[in-house]
PDB file of all heavy atoms in Angstrom:
ATOM      1  N   GLY A 179     242.699  80.871  68.512  1.00 93.00           N
ATOM      2  CA  GLY A 179     243.401  80.631  67.273  1.00 93.00           C
ATOM      3  C   GLY A 179     243.448  79.152  66.986  1.00 93.00           C
ATOM      4  O   GLY A 179     243.291  78.338  67.888  1.00 93.00           O
ATOM      5  N   PHE A 180     243.657  78.788  65.714  1.00 92.00           N
ATOM      6  CA  PHE A 180     243.573  77.371  65.322  1.00 92.00           C
ATOM      7  C   PHE A 180     244.459  77.127  64.125  1.00 92.00           C
ATOM      8  O   PHE A 180     244.573  77.960  63.235  1.00 92.00           O
ATOM      9  CB  PHE A 180     242.087  77.079  64.961  1.00 92.00           C
ATOM     10  CG  PHE A 180     241.810  75.637  64.677  1.00 92.00           C
ATOM     11  CD1 PHE A 180     242.182  74.607  65.495  1.00 92.00           C
ATOM     12  CD2 PHE A 180     241.093  75.302  63.522  1.00 92.00           C
ATOM     13  CE1 PHE A 180     241.878  73.290  65.232  1.00 92.00           C
ATOM     14  CE2 PHE A 180     240.776  73.984  63.224  1.00 92.00           C
ATOM     15  CZ  PHE A 180     241.180  72.969  64.085  1.00 92.00           C
ATOM     16  N   ASN A 181     245.125  75.965  64.097  1.00 91.00           N
ATOM     17  CA  ASN A 181     245.991  75.623  62.996  1.00 91.00           C
ATOM     18  C   ASN A 181     245.288  74.818  61.888  1.00 91.00           C
ATOM     19  O   ASN A 181     245.901  74.473  60.883  1.00 91.00           O
ATOM     20  CB  ASN A 181     247.200  74.825  63.504  1.00 91.00           C
ATOM     21  CG  ASN A 181     248.245  75.717  64.128  1.00 91.00           C
ATOM     22  OD1 ASN A 181     248.188  76.950  63.996  1.00 91.00           O
ATOM     23  ND2 ASN A 181     249.186  75.151  64.839  1.00 91.00           N
ATOM     24  N   GLY A 182     244.001  74.506  62.109  1.00 92.00           N
ATOM     25  CA  GLY A 182     243.212  73.871  61.060  1.00 92.00           C
ATOM     26  C   GLY A 182     242.442  74.895  60.280  1.00 92.00           C
ATOM     27  O   GLY A 182     242.877  76.018  60.042  1.00 92.00           O
ATOM     28  N   THR A 183     241.241  74.529  59.876  1.00 91.00           N
ATOM     29  CA  THR A 183     240.384  75.428  59.082  1.00 91.00           C
ATOM     30  C   THR A 183     239.279  76.064  59.880  1.00 91.00           C
ATOM     31  O   THR A 183     239.088  77.278  59.854  1.00 91.00           O
ATOM     32  CB  THR A 183     239.777  74.683  57.866  1.00 91.00           C
ATOM     33  OG1 THR A 183     240.828  74.110  57.080  1.00 91.00           O
ATOM     34  CG2 THR A 183     238.951  75.600  57.017  1.00 91.00           C
ATOM     35  N   ASP A 184     238.536  75.254  60.652  1.00 92.00           N
ATOM     36  CA  ASP A 184     237.413  75.784  61.416  1.00 92.00           C
ATOM     37  C   ASP A 184     237.458  75.235  62.839  1.00 92.00           C
ATOM     38  O   ASP A 184     237.496  74.022  63.048  1.00 92.00           O
ATOM     39  CB  ASP A 184     236.083  75.372  60.764  1.00 92.00           C
ATOM     40  CG  ASP A 184     235.846  76.015  59.432  1.00 92.00           C
ATOM     41  OD1 ASP A 184     235.837  77.255  59.331  1.00 92.00           O
ATOM     42  OD2 ASP A 184     235.723  75.264  58.416  1.00 92.00           O
ATOM     43  N   LEU A 185     237.453  76.144  63.823  1.00 94.00           N
ATOM     44  CA  LEU A 185     237.410  75.790  65.219  1.00 94.00           C
ATOM     45  C   LEU A 185     236.053  76.186  65.722  1.00 94.00           C
ATOM     46  O   LEU A 185     235.671  77.389  65.689  1.00 94.00           O
ATOM     47  CB  LEU A 185     238.510  76.508  66.001  1.00 94.00           C
ATOM     48  CG  LEU A 185     238.589  76.141  67.464  1.00 94.00           C
ATOM     49  CD1 LEU A 185     239.029  74.708  67.676  1.00 94.00           C
ATOM     50  CD2 LEU A 185     239.576  77.082  68.202  1.00 94.00           C
ATOM     51  N   VAL A 186     235.271  75.244  66.227  1.00 95.00           N
ATOM     52  CA  VAL A 186     233.883  75.482  66.622  1.00 95.00           C
ATOM     53  C   VAL A 186     233.800  75.546  68.165  1.00 95.00           C
ATOM     54  O   VAL A 186     234.185  74.587  68.851  1.00 95.00           O
ATOM     55  CB  VAL A 186     232.941  74.341  66.115  1.00 95.00           C
ATOM     56  CG1 VAL A 186     231.519  74.602  66.533  1.00 95.00           C
ATOM     57  CG2 VAL A 186     233.033  74.293  64.585  1.00 95.00           C
ATOM     58  N   GLN A 187     233.337  76.639  68.677  1.00 96.00           N
ATOM     59  CA  GLN A 187     233.146  76.783  70.125  1.00 96.00           C
ATOM     60  C   GLN A 187     231.924  75.959  70.586  1.00 96.00           C
ATOM     61  O   GLN A 187     230.883  75.995  69.977  1.00 96.00           O
ATOM     62  CB  GLN A 187     232.912  78.257  70.511  1.00 96.00           C
ATOM     63  CG  GLN A 187     234.050  79.171  70.213  1.00 96.00           C
ATOM     64  CD  GLN A 187     233.690  80.612  70.580  1.00 96.00           C
ATOM     65  OE1 GLN A 187     232.535  80.935  70.785  1.00 96.00           O
ATOM     66  NE2 GLN A 187     234.689  81.472  70.668  1.00 96.00           N
ATOM     67  N   VAL A 188     232.156  75.225  71.684  1.00 96.00           N
ATOM     68  CA  VAL A 188     231.066  74.462  72.340  1.00 96.00           C
ATOM     69  C   VAL A 188     231.085  74.828  73.818  1.00 96.00           C
ATOM     70  O   VAL A 188     232.126  74.678  74.453  1.00 96.00           O
ATOM     71  CB  VAL A 188     231.261  72.954  72.145  1.00 96.00           C
ATOM     72  CG1 VAL A 188     230.158  72.186  72.878  1.00 96.00           C
ATOM     73  CG2 VAL A 188     231.277  72.605  70.660  1.00 96.00           C
ATOM     74  N   GLY A 189     229.992  75.247  74.363  1.00 96.00           N
ATOM     75  CA  GLY A 189     229.930  75.640  75.756  1.00 96.00           C
ATOM     76  C   GLY A 189     229.875  74.453  76.693  1.00 96.00           C
ATOM     77  O   GLY A 189     229.200  73.437  76.383  1.00 96.00           O
ATOM     78  N   ALA A 190     230.551  74.554  77.801  1.00 96.00           N
ATOM     79  CA  ALA A 190     230.485  73.469  78.809  1.00 96.00           C
ATOM     80  C   ALA A 190     229.100  73.362  79.379  1.00 96.00           C
ATOM     81  O   ALA A 190     228.687  72.281  79.876  1.00 96.00           O
ATOM     82  CB  ALA A 190     231.506  73.720  79.920  1.00 96.00           C
ATOM     83  N   THR A 191     228.342  74.439  79.386  1.00 96.00           N
ATOM     84  CA  THR A 191     226.951  74.430  79.840  1.00 96.00           C
ATOM     85  C   THR A 191     226.127  75.084  78.711  1.00 96.00           C
ATOM     86  O   THR A 191     226.683  75.750  77.821  1.00 96.00           O
ATOM     87  CB  THR A 191     226.732  75.243  81.125  1.00 96.00           C
ATOM     88  OG1 THR A 191     226.867  76.653  80.826  1.00 96.00           O
ATOM     89  CG2 THR A 191     227.756  74.855  82.210  1.00 96.00           C
ATOM     90  N   PRO A 192     224.802  74.922  78.727  1.00 96.00           N
ATOM     91  CA  PRO A 192     223.971  75.491  77.646  1.00 96.00           C
ATOM     92  C   PRO A 192     224.088  77.006  77.527  1.00 96.00           C
ATOM     93  O   PRO A 192     223.818  77.523  76.459  1.00 96.00           O
ATOM     94  CB  PRO A 192     222.581  75.055  78.047  1.00 96.00           C
ATOM     95  CG  PRO A 192     222.751  73.786  78.848  1.00 96.00           C
ATOM     96  CD  PRO A 192     224.020  74.022  79.617  1.00 96.00           C
ATOM     97  N   THR A 193     224.456  77.675  78.603  1.00 97.00           N
ATOM     98  CA  THR A 193     224.518  79.132  78.552  1.00 97.00           C
ATOM     99  C   THR A 193     225.917  79.732  78.539  1.00 97.00           C
ATOM    100  O   THR A 193     226.091  80.949  78.524  1.00 97.00           O
ATOM    101  CB  THR A 193     223.727  79.734  79.742  1.00 97.00           C
ATOM    102  OG1 THR A 193     224.413  79.357  80.989  1.00 97.00           O
ATOM    103  CG2 THR A 193     222.300  79.245  79.777  1.00 97.00           C
ATOM    104  N   THR A 194     226.922  78.900  78.543  1.00 97.00           N
ATOM    105  CA  THR A 194     228.303  79.387  78.616  1.00 97.00           C
ATOM    106  C   THR A 194     228.629  80.384  77.573  1.00 97.00           C
ATOM    107  O   THR A 194     229.148  81.496  77.840  1.00 97.00           O
ATOM    108  CB  THR A 194     229.302  78.209  78.545  1.00 97.00           C
ATOM    109  OG1 THR A 194     229.169  77.388  79.691  1.00 97.00           O
ATOM    110  CG2 THR A 194     230.742  78.714  78.475  1.00 97.00           C
ATOM    111  N   LEU A 195     228.377  80.099  76.298  1.00 97.00           N
ATOM    112  CA  LEU A 195     228.808  80.974  75.221  1.00 97.00           C
ATOM    113  C   LEU A 195     228.007  82.274  75.238  1.00 97.00           C
ATOM    114  O   LEU A 195     228.589  83.355  75.019  1.00 97.00           O
ATOM    115  CB  LEU A 195     228.628  80.274  73.857  1.00 97.00           C
ATOM    116  CG  LEU A 195     229.437  78.970  73.673  1.00 97.00           C
ATOM    117  CD1 LEU A 195     229.256  78.448  72.276  1.00 97.00           C
ATOM    118  CD2 LEU A 195     230.917  79.191  73.978  1.00 97.00           C
ATOM    119  N   ALA A 196     226.728  82.216  75.499  1.00 97.00           N
ATOM    120  CA  ALA A 196     225.925  83.421  75.519  1.00 97.00           C
ATOM    121  C   ALA A 196     226.306  84.287  76.711  1.00 97.00           C
ATOM    122  O   ALA A 196     226.425  85.544  76.566  1.00 97.00           O
ATOM    123  CB  ALA A 196     224.432  83.077  75.589  1.00 97.00           C
TER     124      ALA A 196
END
Side-chain angles (χ1 to χ4, degrees):
F180 185 51
N181 283 347
T183 302
D184 294 300
L185 184 67
V186 180
Q187 296 178 346
V188 177
T191 72
T193 63
T194 293
L195 300 184

